Amino acid sequence: MSNSPSKLAEVEGIKLASRQLRGTIAAGLRDEATGALAESDTQLTKFHGIYQQDDRDLRHERQQQRLEPAYSFMIRVRVPGGVCSAAQWLAMDALAIEHANGTLRLTTRQAFQFHGVIKRRLQPTIAAINGSLMDTIAACGDVNRNVMASPNPEASGLHRDAWQAAADISDRLTPRTRAYHEIWLDGAKLPPAEPELVDEPLYGASYLPRKFKIGIAVPPWNDVDVFSQDLGFIAISDQGQLAGFNVVVGGGMGASHGEPETYPRLGDVIGFCSPAEAVDVAWHVVAIQRDFGDRSNRKHARFKYTIADRGLAWFTEELAARRGAPLAPARPFRFLGNGDRYGWTRGVDDRWHLTLHVPSGRLADTPERQLLSGLREIATLHGGEFRLTPNQNVIVAGVAEDGKATIEAIARRHGLMHDQLPSALRREALSCVALPTCALAMAEAERYLPELAGKLESRLDTLGLRDEPITLRITGCPNGCARPYLAEIGLVGKGPGRYNLFLGGGFAGERLNRMVAENVDESTILAMLEPLLAAYAEARREGEHFGDFLLRSGRLEAAPGGLGS
Amino acid sequence: MTHALQRPPAPPLAADALERLRAATAPLSQDQLLWASGYLAGLAAGGAAPATVAPVGDARPRLTILYGSQTGNGRKIAAALEAAAAARGIGADLISMADYSTARLKKEQALAIVVSTHGEGDPPDDALELHRFLSGKRLPVLASLRYAVLALGDSSYENFCQTGRDFDARLEAAGARRLAPLVECDLEFDAPSATWSSAVLDEAVELLGREEPAAGPLLRVVPPAPRASKSAPFEAEVLLNQRITGRGSSKDVRHLELSLEGSGLHWQAGDSLGVLIRNPDRVVEPLLEALGIDGSVPAEAGAGDRSLRELLIHDREVTALNRPFLEAWAGVEPSGKLGTLLESLRGAGLGRWMHERHVVDVVREFPAEFEATRFIEMLRPLPPRLYSIASAPELSEEEIHLTVALLSYEAFGRAHWGAGSSWLALDRAEGDLVGVYVEPNERFRLPADGEAPVIMVGPGTGVAPFRAFLQARAARGAGGRNWLLFGDRHFATDFLYQAEWLRYRKQGLLTRLDVAFSRDQAEKCYVQHRMLEASRELYEWLQEGAHLYVCGDAAHMAPDVDRALRDIIATEGGLGEDAVEDYLAELRRHGRYQRDVY
């Protein structure tokens, strides 16, 4: 270990003492007097894919009622590369209704999320998830998270390879602890007096200093936002075959308000590796972060700071030393955008793929549209796969030519497809969950996005920009789970109804945006955007994107760390 | 809306007489003052010549006054009888039935019994053993015994005053003769109990003779006259009326905080607060509508001129039914159907029938014609409502807390409301006044020994006094272990005071917290199931000297918990039925199995 003797962050002690992530979780699950787990256990359950939350809309009321907060849990299901079968989809749907709050949340990392699962339903839910051959382990916590991969099967034959690489890396980097099996899958048995401790060859006793995110991009689409990942792989093709990957290191969203030593960072391309080498590269990169990441200050613990502090040169040397060889030189690539392409597209396999827009990834049934039921119906008769996209949408993949009409009819009937497409802005928009469940949220995101999009849309319509894709991303706090620092228009929550406004990100996720206003409300945001959008409509070049336009026209200076405009 | 304010009554003594009284009482100690108040009460009851209290140890036959009561009422009446006896020169011994050895019975010459009936005709806990003895085979012939029974009860229950009747009948069957006939009291017992006391003492004086004054009287302490009483309540300001069931709950339970500042009221954890309620509009107006009489007509007999509405609001019980009302109503009801129904329903059937209805339902179902005054006479006086106090004076003497569950339900196609609970929950906001007095409950007390373990079974609002218990324990620095068992319908919304229990558990004040939420899963589960699951540990606590307390529903919960307790003692102690009975009797004797059930 290379940590200086400075004091370790508190969570480090919790991890070390936890007997490989067991803590007192089993006993806590049996405590019927409270819907919560012990404080330290809530740090450990993250490694199991679970976040303890409470309904923040009710906090004050419950306090006055002398009741504890309305606790419930968020469960995140790992879906490497976002690919799941129709049977698995139906299993997720059933669990959402039986044990969660009746909705499914598709995340910006291509995973499923359940919200509102109360404590005594945790074990049955997780057991059922594993029963459908998926899992939740390492979906959160100081470990490698869900491995992303471009889900777009129509673009090239590389999609299958990218998915395979994602699955392989995910397997290799999964923690080995038996705690997960013991607590969730072993039936109602009491925990053994002497827990079975196993080797954790990668993670050791304290796992990583912080989360670690890996994503695999297949050009020309950067939907996985490869430059936002701790470790990115860019698939390079050679005459339609996968030649290997460019390796990208040190990206990361996430900052804290008013702390300039925290900041979002774009990853650096450092070289190239063959397909067979990718898993080992991942292993070594994670191991370097394990050894050198800052364990005394969690706000400074992400891999991006390790790289920024020690330098890229140091890192490439360290990697070469551990691998036994340096990486090959990086190869050229090109990204056109990081959004999804909606509607039917025909794949290289001659099958059809339907990308459905799911606003904020939230599948629910409302009087207006029944998104959850619609997908259930599709899943019931669909013989192919589902692909969760990094833009919180879903692709019904592998539909035969003669199956299209039925699927489309179901989609239309349930409001999953419309005669009139929503505006391009609305289609591109991302938001994190924020309130009422996320403990970190400072402002609304998911619940506010439709309203903000609507107000912007009326202006866009007037300007003739309705079909112009502009990336809009809103998060409730600066952690940036919906990758707001790459958006052309980014809102980062600061307080109720107040955001920091960011502008000028790259349309392909290749350039960070810049903060142009701090702690402003909606009317100020709209007042600032209007003239800029008007100018864009008026003066843009053919095919020029909004973020690029702002830079070119001098209305915005380039943010440091951008990859050029 | 404020409760009708009472003018402080003008003293009925002339100024100089009042001055003499003040001078006479000024040098007296507290104990002497207390004795004097009982003495004066006895004089008022009819004693003519002054006398002193009989010293203990006098060989003259004495009057034994036994009381058995779940609340403090029986004891109060019995104590007043003792003081009145003293004023008349009769030596009397005041004994709780719980402390009375049945072996004494055959030596008694004069016995006055004050006993209440509980729930559907059950003896109160204190009276169980004596009641069993009187019903059993070991009862000796009591030919030389003279006795009188005063029965307390609630006529909204069918087996009204059953326990008192049992005592009266059994003693007669054993050969004893009455000093005075059985007197049965409904909720308003002041007048009938005073009459009975006089009748008893009139006969007892002849039987037991007067005493010679002796030197150095042993002073007996009469319970101190409270500063506020049922007839002169303290107007307490509502400081807080907070709903403590969560959003979406099927119940509405309120946590009320009342200011006692300036009241001088004292209480202990385990006591109840008497609340003088008024019947709210939501209860009175539908009744007036069903009656079809204009609420503003005068309806007061005698010299008063209050209207029907006013009397219904302030003066009369208008929700709970009772037999006397039904019989009176059947008398004026032209179709005769109610009369026929009453005859056909006997025993528990009538009790159940009455519990399912309010006065208004009977009025609607059996319409009748009559005058307003007559109607008022049919109704019994509006009794105060008693609530187990949910805070300990150790925490603050200036405020007092209550836990009140709103009674509201649909029946016969209409909304029904509890009179007291809806008045408090819905009509008393911060700043409003509530007339209160303390109703002590000597039979529901924390152990004097702070190290003694305590087990508290308090589902629903039954948990209220245990909040006071734990506050008191904490404030006193009592180190004894504390175990709370709570139950209700849904964990998410009905876990009353959850945050406080969790805090106490974290602090170590609450050693163990078990919960049962009946509607959170397919099969119902209640506190007694938690008790049975912890059978071994519960028995161990008892063996280690634990005091067990039960508070809450009398009809189902208390018997279920009692049954579970018996099962546990039988199983863990390896005891047969009789031995279990003895075990429980022993617990009761030592005040280690106490119940506040309603």
Side-chain angles (χ1 to χ4, degrees):
Chain A
M1 292 296 204
S2 67
N3 272 304
S4 64
S6 64
K7 194 162 165 286
L8 293 178
E10 194 190 325
V11 181
E12 293 297 313
I14 294 172
K15 286 187 277 183
L16 268 171
S18 72
R19 292 163 304 128
Q20 291 186 334
L21 307 174
R22 286 170 176 79
T24 53
I25 296 172
L29 290 173
R30 290 196 306 276
D31 182 358
E32 293 184 20
T34 170
L37 293 171
E39 176 74 46
S40 52
D41 285 341
T42 63
Q43 297 300 327
L44 299 172
T45 50
K46 291 180 189 177
F47 291 80
H48 296 258
I50 299 163
Y51 261 97
Q52 178 170 297
Q53 302 183 320
D54 73 283
D55 187 341
R56 291 175 61 176
D57 287 343
L58 298 183
R59 247 183 214 174
H60 179 63
E61 178 179 293
R62 301 255 320 172
Q63 197 174 49
Q64 293 193 303
Q65 289 166 341
R66 288 137 172 89
L67 295 170
E68 67 172 9
Y71 290 114
S72 68
F73 292 82
M74 179 272 275
I75 301 178
R76 186 179 293 153
V77 182
R78 286 203 304 180
V79 192
V83 178
C84 75
S85 68
Q88 288 170 329
W89 183 278
L90 288 170
M92 296 298 103
D93 174 89
L95 289 173
I97 291 165
E98 187 181 354
H99 292 306
N101 67 358
T103 75
L104 263 181
R105 199 10 164 116
L106 310 177
T107 74
T108 54
R109 288 198 68 78
Q110 301 175 277
F112 288 107
Q113 242 163 233
F114 296 106
H115 287 274
V117 181
I118 58 174
K119 190 171 73 170
R120 63 191 167 89
R121 291 176 180 270
L122 275 177
Q123 189 275 330
T125 309
I126 295 176
I129 291 167
N130 282 266
S132 59
L133 303 182
M134 301 170 91
D135 66 30
T136 66
I137 189 171
C140 320
D142 300 340
V143 281
N144 174 53
R145 300 290 186 87
N146 193 43
V147 179
M148 298 175 70
S150 281
N152 300 294
E154 80 289 0
S156 67
L158 266 51
H159 167 264
R160 192 45 69 173
D161 298 317
W163 175 80
Q164 190 61 56
D168 292 342
I169 291 171
S170 181
D171 278 345
R172 187 83 190 281
L173 302 188
T174 298
R176 303 260 175 271
T177 173
R178 294 290 295 159
Y180 187 81
H181 185 92
E182 201 177 279
I183 293 171
W184 310 110
L185 308 181
D186 231 359
K189 293 192 220 136
L190 291 169
E194 281 308 312
E196 186 191 340
L197 296 177
V198 298
D199 224 18
E200 281 281 15
L202 176 60
Y203 292 112
S206 323
Y207 301 85
L208 298 180
R210 244 353 209 117
K211 64 184 82 164
F212 199 90
K213 300 185 174 180
I214 300 178
I216 304 171
V218 179
W221 305 117
N222 187 22
D223 44 14
V224 304
D225 270 331
V226 76
F227 302 110
S228 76
Q229 310 285 341
D230 291 274
L231 171 62
F233 292 93
I234 303 174
I236 304 295
S237 96
D238 187 358
Q239 293 167 54
Q241 300 287 77
L242 178 66
F245 301 98
N246 277 348
V247 177
V248 185
V249 295
M253 302 286 93
S256 301
H257 286 310
E259 295 187 41
E261 65 283 7
T262 66
Y263 48 84
R265 187 177 188 280
L266 291 180
D268 295 301
V269 181
I270 58 168
F272 175 89
C273 73
S274 71
E277 292 172 320
V279 176
D280 277 346
V281 167
W283 176 280
H284 289 300
V285 172
V286 171
I288 294 172
Q289 165 61 358
R290 174 198 68 206
D291 293 340
F292 291 96
D294 184 352
R295 289 182 188 262
S296 65
N297 177 8
R298 284 184 73 83
K299 290 186 180 168
H300 187 250
R302 288 291 293 278
F303 184 45
K304 62 185 170 181
Y305 301 122
T306 314
I307 298 253
D309 289 351
R310 294 168 189 267
L312 221 42
W314 162 85
F315 177 78
T316 50
E317 263 182 55
E318 183 69 33
L319 181 60
R322 292 179 185 229
R323 280 185 79 225
L327 291 170
R331 300 199 189 174
F333 62 91
R334 193 170 73 108
F335 287 128
L336 295 178
N338 61 5
D340 289 344
R341 283 144 307 292
Y342 298 96
W344 291 106
T345 53
R346 191 190 190 125
V348 289
D349 51 1
D350 268 349
R351 297 227 130 200
W352 289 89
H353 311 281
L354 177 61
T355 303
L356 295 169
H357 175 240
V358 182
S360 293
R362 179 71 63 180
L363 289 164
D365 285 347
T366 64
E368 297 82 42
R369 32 220 309 245
Q370 301 77 48
L371 306 183
L372 187 65
S373 295
L375 276 160
R376 181 189 316 129
E377 239 187 89
I378 292 172
T380 310
L381 50 78
H382 176 47
E385 292 172 339
F386 288 87
R387 313 260 174 82
L388 309 186
T389 81
N391 289 291
Q392 306 174 320
N393 299 315
V394 62
I395 303 174
V396 185
V399 182
E401 173 80 53
D402 55 14
K404 288 171 63 186
T406 318
I407 303 252
E408 180 160 337
I410 297 172
R412 286 189 182 282
R413 196 164 57 242
H414 292 84
L416 285 161
M417 282 177 87
H418 314 270
D419 289 327
Q420 206 206 16
L421 284 175
S423 65
L425 175 99
R426 198 186 275 272
R427 289 197 314 262
E428 300 300 312
L430 301 185
S431 74
C432 67
V433 174
L435 297 164
T437 50
C438 183
L440 306 171
M442 300 176 184
E444 296 278 359
E446 180 178 323
R447 295 200 294 200
Y448 173 52
L449 175 55
E451 203 185 310
L452 177 63
K455 293 188 179 167
L456 285 170
E457 260 166 1
S458 52
R459 282 136 178 99
L460 292 172
D461 280 347
T462 324
L463 296 168
L465 292 174
R466 189 185 172 79
D467 293 321
E468 193 63 50
I470 298 173
T471 54
L472 165 68
R473 296 176 177 183
I474 308 181
T475 58
C477 87
N479 283 341
C481 298
R483 304 189 286 274
Y485 305 107
L486 293 169
E488 294 182 293
I489 304 173
L491 272 71
V492 175
K494 191 121 159 61
R498 297 202 156 254
Y499 300 86
N500 291 349
L501 179 63
F502 291 75
L503 293 177
F507 186 75
E510 81 286 13
R511 181 180 63 241
L512 289 173
N513 53 24
R514 238 195 126 108
M515 181 160 76
V516 298
E518 196 169 357
N519 202 31
V520 290
D521 63 9
E522 180 186 79
S523 55
T524 312
I525 291 170
L526 293 172
M528 288 183 73
L529 287 175
E530 270 206 50
L532 296 175
L533 290 168
Y536 175 63
E538 168 92 31
R540 73 194 196 273
R541 290 181 185 154
E542 177 81 35
E544 184 175 34
H545 293 295
F546 182 57
D548 297 334
F549 168 78
L550 291 176
L551 278 170
R552 180 182 65 75
S553 65
R555 285 175 173 77
L556 191 67
E557 292 165 35
L563 293 179
S565 54
Chain B
M1 263 308 291
T2 59
H3 192 79
L5 289 173
Q6 305 215 342
R7 278 191 308 278
L13 294 181
D16 59 335
L18 187 56
E19 194 45 54
R20 278 203 297 280
L21 180 60
R22 282 206 184 106
T25 52
L28 296 184
S29 73
Q30 167 129 39
D31 279 349
Q32 289 171 323
L33 279 170
L34 292 173
W35 180 89
S37 73
Y39 178 71
L40 290 171
L43 284 179
T52 54
V53 180
V56 171
D58 193 292
R60 211 178 294 273
R62 300 168 67 78
L63 173 67
T64 299
I65 306 173
L66 289 182
Y67 63 93
S69 170
Q70 203 76 9
T71 67
N73 292 328
R75 186 176 191 280
K76 260 198 288 215
I77 294 168
L81 177 61
E82 188 208 17
R88 298 239 224 151
I90 297 167
D93 297 312
L94 177 67
I95 310 177
S96 161
M97 283 184 190
D99 301 328
Y100 184 73
S101 163
T102 54
R104 265 181 75 151
L105 201 53
K106 56 182 181 293
K107 292 188 244 147
E108 298 286 356
Q109 305 210 273
L111 188 61
I113 293 179
V114 180
V115 69
S116 59
T117 300
H118 202 58
E120 291 293 350
D122 299 317
D125 287 348
D126 291 356
L128 276 174
E129 231 187 294
L130 184 58
H131 188 262
R132 237 193 328 156
F133 181 75
L134 288 175
S135 318
K137 301 196 187 80
R138 290 184 296 157
L139 184 66
V141 172
L142 300 170
S144 51
L145 174 64
R146 303 291 302 279
Y147 74 97
V149 178
L150 178 74
L152 302 175
D154 180 338
S155 65
S156 70
Y157 290 94
E158 169 60 358
N159 293 316
F160 173 57
C161 288
Q162 188 59 47
T163 305
R165 291 179 189 165
D166 289 346
F167 275 94
D168 185 75
R170 294 298 312 158
L171 286 168
E172 185 185 39
R177 284 181 305 130
R178 291 185 181 82
L179 284 167
L182 169 69
V183 170
E184 296 179 356
C185 301
D186 202 339
L187 297 178
E188 274 298 308
F189 52 77
D190 289 332
S193 68
T195 312
W196 173 83
S197 294
S198 294
V200 169
L201 291 178
D202 287 344
E203 277 295 311
V205 150
E206 300 212 7
L207 174 73
L208 306 175
R210 280 183 194 283
E211 313 261 67
E212 294 301 329
L218 186 78
L219 295 174
R220 268 197 252 278
V221 176
V222 169
R227 302 281 184 96
S229 64
K230 214 189 302 186
S231 47
F234 174 75
E235 294 297 321
E237 184 185 334
V238 176
L239 299 172
L240 181 64
N241 177 347
Q242 171 69 48
R243 185 180 150 140
I244 54 172
T245 43
R247 190 187 285 213
S249 174
S250 55
K251 296 171 154 190
D252 182 345
V253 177
R254 300 297 172 111
H255 171 74
L256 287 154
E257 296 185 1
L258 307 174
S259 169
L260 289 188
E261 209 182 310
S263 69
L265 278 173
H266 296 289
W267 78 99
Q268 290 183 53
D271 287 343
S272 294
L273 193 68
V275 176
L276 275 76
I277 63 155
R278 45 163 280 177
N279 289 310
D281 293 346
R282 67 183 67 79
V283 158
V284 171
E285 294 308 314
L287 178 56
L288 283 172
E289 202 195 307
L291 287 169
I293 311 180
D294 177 1
S296 58
V297 310
E300 193 162 19
D305 60 355
R306 286 187 287 176
S307 69
L308 175 62
R309 176 178 278 109
E310 243 189 288
L311 288 164
L312 290 179
I313 289 173
H314 293 288
D315 220 65
R316 288 286 184 262
E317 174 79 271
V318 298
T319 47
L321 288 169
N322 56 78
R323 180 175 258 285
F325 169 79
L326 286 175
E327 284 172 352
W329 189 264
V332 299
E333 186 262 306
S335 78
K337 284 201 221 127
L338 178 58
T340 316
L341 183 66
L342 288 180
E343 276 182 33
S344 68
L345 286 174
R346 285 272 127 220
L350 180 61
R352 234 177 294 129
W353 192 91
M354 286 199 292
H355 276 310
E356 287 166 5
R357 287 161 177 77
H358 280 173
V359 169
V360 67
D361 298 312
V362 169
V363 169
R364 280 196 197 114
E365 202 179 331
F366 306 96
E369 300 262 323
F370 53 82
E371 304 163 65
T373 326
R374 176 82 185 95
F375 181 67
I376 289 296
E377 279 166 3
M378 288 185 210
L379 299 170
R380 68 178 178 183
L382 181 61
R385 278 14 184 198
L386 295 175
Y387 295 97
S388 307
I389 298 172
S391 62
E394 287 87 343
L395 215 61
S396 168
E397 294 206 311
E398 304 284 285
E399 59 182 68
I400 198 163
H401 302 175
L402 300 180
T403 314
V404 178
L406 173 65
L407 180 66
S408 116
Y409 57 95
E410 279 273 317
F412 310 104
R414 314 255 190 160
H416 284 58
W417 305 91
S421 66
S422 73
W423 182 68
L424 278 173
L426 304 177
D427 298 343
R428 293 289 89 182
E430 280 170 40
D432 289 338
L433 297 179
V434 176
V436 302
Y437 62 96
V438 172
E439 183 69 52
N441 189 352
E442 302 291 337
R443 307 305 299 176
F444 204 73
R445 286 271 177 270
L446 274 171
D449 177 13
E451 298 302 307
V454 160
I455 305 173
M456 300 163 279
V457 183
T461 51
V463 82
F466 300 134
R467 188 169 180 268
F469 271 29
L470 285 169
Q471 287 176 358
R473 276 229 150 182
R476 297 176 196 174
R481 288 170 284 154
N482 299 303
W483 182 351
L484 177 66
L485 293 99
F486 175 81
D488 213 304
R489 287 185 187 167
H490 293 287
F491 168 83
T493 55
D494 306 328
F495 193 167
L496 304 178
Y497 300 110
Q498 174 189 34
E500 295 184 4
W501 311 128
L502 290 176
R503 195 172 65 238
Y504 289 152
R505 184 173 73 168
K506 191 167 179 181
Q507 291 166 353
L509 174 66
L510 196 51
T511 317
R512 191 171 160 152
L513 174 60
D514 284 284
V515 293
F517 294 99
S518 58
R519 299 192 187 182
D520 272 348
Q521 59 284 312
E523 59 305 338
K524 296 271 173 93
C525 82
Y526 299 105
V527 284
Q528 59 267 24
H529 299 117
R530 291 291 109 91
M531 288 171 69
L532 291 167
E533 282 161 21
S535 178
R536 177 134 62 100
E537 200 171 338
L538 201 147
Y539 187 71
E540 266 168 28
W541 280 51
L542 288 174
Q543 290 296 91
E544 286 159 4
H547 291 232
L548 176 66
Y549 301 89
V550 182
C551 180
D553 169 59
H556 302 289
M557 185 274 299
D560 287 341
V561 166
D562 189 80
R563 240 188 315 276
L565 184 59
R566 285 163 192 275
D567 284 349
I568 290 170
I569 295 168
T571 308
E572 301 298 334
L575 302 177
E577 206 180 308
D578 285 338
V580 170
E581 198 59 58
D582 291 340
Y583 192 103
L584 288 177
E586 187 70 18
L587 286 182
R588 276 192 214 105
R589 236 193 313 276
H590 293 282
R592 288 175 53 205
Y593 181 19
Q594 298 194 337
R595 307 197 300 175
D596 176 10
V597 294
Y598 39 85

